[in-house]
């Protein structure tokens, strides 16, 4: 969501600086799942795939609050969720998983 706001040019200078700096930090320090498995976010193969940071990845999780503040400043509701079972794992490394969310009865995902 923050990436989309940046693409649309809707971030202030300070917000853009935060977004660019933190995105660069993530890119430099952690694996992008799509670089390991280009199909991991393929919408036909894995519709609704989402990434979750592992709770043990403290330095990754700590930076999330800045993105939440940025989104809140633009009226975008964003909540931090924790789950022991976020879905069917389609990618995993030391710091994160990408999952297909569990379906609710009726075929919807939560």
């Amino acid at each position: 969501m923050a990436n989309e706001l940046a693409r649309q040019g809707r971030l202030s200078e300070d917000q853009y600086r935060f977004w660019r700096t933190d995105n660069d930090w993530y890119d430099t320090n952690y694996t992008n799942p799509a670089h390991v498995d280009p199909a991991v976010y393929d919408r036909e193969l894995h519709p609704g795939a989402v990434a979750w940071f592992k709770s043990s990845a403290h330095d990754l999780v700590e930076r999330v609050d800045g993105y939440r503040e940025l989104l809140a400043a633009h009226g975008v509701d964003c909540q931090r969720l924790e789950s022991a079972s976020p879905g069917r794992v389609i990618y995993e490394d030391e710091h994160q998983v990408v999952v297909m969310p569990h379906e609710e009865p009726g075929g919807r995902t939560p």
Side-chain angles (χ1 to χ4, degrees):
M1 292 179 265
N3 291 348
E4 185 60 29
L5 289 170
R7 274 191 287 276
Q8 294 173 1
R10 295 177 54 198
L11 301 180
S12 71
E13 270 188 53
D14 288 342
Q15 290 171 336
Y16 185 87
R17 190 173 17 264
F18 161 81
W19 169 81
R20 183 69 276 150
T21 299
D22 275 44
N23 275 17
D24 289 347
W25 182 87
Y26 279 108
D27 289 344
T28 299
N29 291 290
Y30 293 94
T31 302
N32 179 333
H35 293 166
V36 176
D37 178 2
V40 74
Y41 293 116
D42 183 298
R43 291 176 190 230
E44 289 186 29
L45 293 174
H46 305 118
V50 292
W52 288 69
F53 297 141
K54 293 182 176 181
S55 60
S56 59
H58 300 286
D59 49 346
L60 278 162
V61 175
E62 286 174 359
R63 291 179 174 257
V64 170
D65 286 339
Y67 287 95
R68 291 178 59 216
E69 291 170 14
L70 184 151
L71 293 170
H74 289 270
V76 178
D77 183 36
C78 181
Q79 299 175 10
R80 178 179 167 175
L81 301 175
E82 295 184 20
S83 175
S85 180
R88 179 176 54 86
V89 175
I90 57 175
Y91 169 86
E92 182 171 10
D93 65 33
E94 179 183 356
H95 307 287
Q96 62 193 324
V97 294
V98 177
V99 302
M100 291 296 299
H102 297 295
E103 286 190 3
E104 293 180 349
R108 296 184 334 220
T109 55

